[in-house]
Amino acid sequence: MNYTLHQLQVFLKITQTKSITKAAEQLHLTQPAVSIQLRNLQDQFEIPLTEVVGRQLYITEFGEEIAVAAENIINEVYNINYKTLAFKGVLTGKLKISVVSTGKYVMPYFLSDFTNNNKGIALEMDVTNKLKVIKALKNNEVDFALVSTLPSGIDVESELLLTNKLYLVANHTHALPTLNKVKESLAYSSLIYREDGSATRIAMENYLSKQGIQAKLKLQLTSNEAVKQAVIAGLGLSIMPLIGLKNELESGVIQIIPSKGLPVVTNWTLIWLKGKKMSPAANAYLNFIRNEKEKIKRDNFSWIDSF
């Protein structure tokens, strides 16, 4: 056998995503590069690791066993690196964070200085929908989660990071209704929603319900980026978090429609399971957040106060 650590890392990611395309995206490689690594690894085994049925990639039973072994090997290599750094007095370990999709505009700013100053920390950040974030937290698969509304039915501790404001927005060509005509305008406009379970979707539905507005036309999309592009293109109006609109507001391609009852105000909050025994890496990160969050807000998010 002459397989490499890189081949095992690529194959493990393929087994996790069940897709060469998704594996390539997450590994920041091209699809051909991932396919080549998979083929080179497969060439060393007489039994297939994967099979394609239709257009769907499946992992064989043998492939699943190799994936388990690959994960163990990769973890042991990480442990060797951690132990080497620990002997040098460097903080080591993994820091696992799950982030709701819109939180991608927030979380990197609260991580960059910490990870840059602690090279022995391996960061794993998963950006996904709220339901998967809460599931990962409940299952104790992550150290922290970033949410805009606190979950129910789960005991957590929390650290508030940043105010989250949601506004009604349209593209730059949309005629602004007067304040007392917004309700009437919304009733006959195409409204663009996030998917079910999204905190942004819930906030939008709650607002419309309180205003007694029943949408006539609806478009549902699965990410704030998709909603934003649909608004820019003039497909409709939406209620969106301000945090992801800075460039579009500054360039004038999106405008805020002043509306009664808006903005909806929530908070970007870092949460973790109550009573969780934190690793040294997680504990160090929490101390960093408590000491540095005000500076991070001043340096990166002061623009929010102007809205």
Side-chain angles (χ1 to χ4, degrees):
M1 293 295 176
N2 193 33
Y3 47 77
T4 66
L5 181 62
H6 183 54
Q7 289 170 359
L8 295 179
Q9 289 171 325
V10 169
F11 180 64
L12 181 59
K13 185 60 67 175
I14 291 171
T15 65
Q16 292 168 344
T17 61
K18 303 294 190 295
S19 166
I20 288 178
T21 300
K22 291 179 180 178
E25 290 174 353
Q26 294 186 20
L27 292 168
H28 305 291
L29 298 171
T30 64
Q31 290 183 42
V34 170
S35 297
I36 289 169
Q37 293 303 319
L38 175 60
R39 185 172 65 249
N40 290 342
L41 181 64
Q42 178 62 77
D43 287 346
Q44 299 177 71
F45 300 98
E46 296 180 0
I47 305 171
L49 299 170
T50 63
E51 58 182 353
V52 177
V53 180
R55 294 186 176 182
Q56 180 62 49
L57 177 72
Y58 294 91
I59 311 302
T60 65
E61 183 178 354
F62 177 68
E64 294 286 0
E65 292 189 11
I66 296 301
V68 171
E71 185 170 20
N72 290 335
I73 291 169
I74 292 166
N75 286 338
E76 284 303 314
V77 171
Y78 283 141
N79 287 335
I80 291 171
N81 293 337
Y82 295 151
K83 288 174 182 177
T84 302
L85 291 169
F87 268 90
K88 295 180 179 179
V90 177
L91 181 65
T92 64
K94 286 187 179 180
L95 180 64
K96 298 182 178 181
I97 302 177
S98 190
V99 178
V100 295
S101 57
T102 311
K104 65 177 175 287
Y105 300 111
V106 176
M107 201 67 225
Y109 295 96
F110 288 90
L111 282 165
S112 59
D113 283 349
F114 179 78
T115 55
N116 288 337
N117 293 331
N118 294 281
K119 299 297 186 181
I121 300 295
L123 173 65
E124 293 184 8
M125 186 173 78
D126 182 34
V127 179
T128 185
N129 63 48
K130 182 183 177 183
L131 294 178
K132 290 182 179 179
V133 168
I134 301 307
K135 181 181 178 182
L137 189 69
K138 280 184 176 180
N139 293 342
N140 199 27
E141 296 170 357
V142 295
D143 299 304
F144 301 101
L146 181 72
V147 295
S148 59
T149 55
L150 293 178
S152 57
I154 177 172
D155 290 331
V156 298
E157 297 182 68
S158 62
E159 189 72 27
L160 191 154
L161 300 186
L162 188 68
T163 298
N164 183 40
K165 299 179 181 179
L166 295 96
Y167 286 91
L168 178 64
V169 296
N171 80 347
H172 69 287
T173 64
H174 187 84
L176 287 180
T178 59
L179 193 59
N180 61 347
K181 293 288 186 179
V182 171
K183 181 176 177 179
E184 179 182 339
S185 176
L186 280 173
Y188 292 97
S189 298
S190 296
L191 299 182
I192 306 170
Y193 289 75
R194 283 287 307 278
E195 76 282 3
D196 286 331
S198 160
T200 301
R201 166 77 172 248
I202 293 168
M204 184 169 174
E205 289 180 332
N206 287 343
Y207 169 77
L208 294 174
S209 177
K210 287 178 182 178
Q211 297 299 317
I213 299 168
Q214 194 164 20
K216 300 297 181 184
L217 297 170
K218 296 181 181 179
L219 175 64
Q220 179 176 299
L221 299 171
T222 57
S223 74
N224 268 31
E225 276 299 313
V227 172
K228 182 167 64 177
Q229 294 305 318
V231 170
I232 292 171
L235 289 177
L237 313 181
S238 190
I239 292 176
M240 298 190 66
L242 183 66
I243 194 70
L245 299 174
K246 183 175 186 288
N247 293 336
E248 290 73 21
L249 289 169
E250 289 180 347
S251 66
V253 296
I254 278 181
Q255 60 179 326
I256 290 174
I257 301 176
S259 314
K260 181 182 178 182
L262 292 177
V264 174
V265 179
T266 59
N267 293 297
W268 290 110
T269 307
L270 195 70
I271 61 174
W272 60 96
L273 288 176
K274 190 171 185 178
K276 180 177 176 62
K277 294 182 179 179
M278 294 207 177
S279 67
N283 194 55
Y285 180 65
L286 185 56
N287 288 333
F288 166 82
I289 285 296
R290 287 170 171 166
N291 291 330
E292 300 295 328
K293 66 177 184 178
E294 295 302 325
K295 179 180 183 300
I296 294 170
K297 285 193 287 186
R298 286 195 308 270
D299 291 348
N300 301 286
F301 300 104
S302 58
W303 63 272
I304 290 175
D305 296 332
S306 61
F307 291 90

